[in-house]
Amino acid sequence: MRVKVLSVILALVAANLASASPAKPSSITWSDSTRDVYIDNELDRGAQVLTADSPSRLALISSRLDSAVVLEVA
């Protein structure tokens, strides 16, 4: 009797753990934008500017920078 009750409890716990998967963050859709980008007062024609609506963000990618710049636009 105890084994059956324990088996049922373990089965319920296992089912609960299996259904509780970690939530995935919502994906952000980026769109390419045409912008003039100046770095150190020089026009960088190779720079890429991306925008996102939800959440409102702007990203700047350039070979002149060490890493991409992401700004939250309020």
Side-chain angles (χ1 to χ4, degrees):
M1 178 74 167
R2 282 184 148 179
V3 173
K4 286 183 182 180
V5 172
L6 199 54
S7 297
V8 170
I9 291 173
L10 288 175
L12 289 173
V13 169
N16 189 22
L17 290 176
S19 67
S21 62
K24 292 183 181 179
S26 61
S27 63
I28 299 173
T29 303
W30 292 96
S31 302
D32 196 8
S33 297
T34 304
R35 304 266 195 253
D36 286 339
V37 176
Y38 287 86
I39 299 176
D40 293 330
N41 292 327
E42 293 182 23
L43 181 61
D44 184 357
R45 299 221 181 257
Q48 184 176 13
V49 178
L50 304 169
T51 57
D53 288 332
S54 181
S56 185
R57 291 184 178 167
L58 184 133
L60 172 63
I61 302 169
S62 173
S63 61
R64 294 175 144 193
L65 302 173
D66 293 333
S67 59
V69 176
V70 179
L71 303 172
E72 283 199 35
V73 182

